[in-house]
Amino acid sequence: MPIPEELLARSVFASLGGVVEIGAVNFTGTWRLADVSVGDFLERRGKDLGRLMDGIQEVCRFGAPATAIAGELGYLRDHEVTPEFLLLWSAGLTGVPEPLDELAEPRVVQRMCRMGADLQLTQFLQALITAAICAEVEERAGAAHIAEILGIASDLVDASGRSSPETAFRMWRVAHLPGILRPDSEAPESGRAAFRAYDYEMERVLVPAV
């Protein structure tokens, strides 16, 4: 059964929202949420975000209603970043401290951002590849576009160089690919073949030959 385009778009733009929020927090360099301005971050990185959105449209081929979801979710305009959202983006891997006020402490915020960057880039890549497969985008061309998108997103989420397209790809391959390709997976054989092809092409683009 085909995946609805709206669901594909929500997966892409929700993880992009995590990238943007975490990027805005990392951009402060203080990891104090009172210093965060998503609006200022987006204004400074507007050209990069524009290139990223163009790339998403190119590889996912969303129609107008699906593309509009990016605006409806609200992550791409000025808004408050809360500790609870950072806890969500990091999947609670840092734990929930007592009292909850500790979630806003810079040391906790920075750790949530590190974990969240890894998780959201990996989710973003999974969402992009899934959408590209559903749009029947040829693997070699799709992988090249996705690698470029992933490079922009990696720099947005953490300009220090800690995040990289190769690292996100390798995390994705460990976190998502085995479940899709295992014998008892619900993925159809055509879908498994497509994911294998994207894995091969992404590796060719992102992982230096030994």
Side-chain angles (χ1 to χ4, degrees), residues 11-79:
S11 295
V12 169
F13 295 130
S15 51
L16 177 58
V19 166
V20 167
E21 287 200 350
I22 294 166
V25 177
N26 282 330
F27 180 72
T28 66
T30 66
W31 293 278
R32 296 183 184 279
L33 296 184
D35 297 339
V36 177
S37 171
V38 175
D40 182 55
F41 177 70
L42 291 173
E43 184 177 354
R44 289 172 179 265
R45 304 302 301 271
K47 289 183 179 179
D48 294 327
L49 187 64
R51 288 170 50 225
L52 189 149
M53 292 296 290
D54 288 344
I56 290 173
Q57 185 59 37
E58 181 72 25
V59 79
C60 299
R61 299 181 181 174
F62 292 145
T67 302
I69 290 172
E72 293 169 7
L73 291 175
Y75 297 121
L76 303 184
R77 57 177 179 264
D78 193 29
H79 63 278

Side-chain angles (χ1 to χ4, degrees), residues 75-118:
Y75 297 121
L76 303 184
R77 57 177 179 264
D78 193 29
H79 63 278
E80 182 184 5
V81 178
T82 66
E84 290 78 12
F85 265 101
L86 293 178
L87 190 66
L88 173 67
W89 299 134
S90 59
L93 294 179
T94 57
V96 182
E98 292 289 347
L100 285 176
D101 289 349
E102 289 186 15
L103 280 175
E105 290 189 6
R107 61 180 177 81
V108 179
V109 169
Q110 185 176 26
R111 194 155 184 260
M112 287 193 290
C113 284
R114 286 175 177 168
M115 292 184 176
D118 291 342

Side-chain angles (χ1 to χ4, degrees), residues 173-189 191-193 195-196:
R173 185 159 58 182
V174 172
H176 291 277
L177 205 55
I180 294 169
L181 300 183
R182 69 174 185 249
D184 61 345
S185 167
E186 295 182 358
E189 189 55 43
R192 297 184 199 187
F195 273 101
R196 283 194 178 96

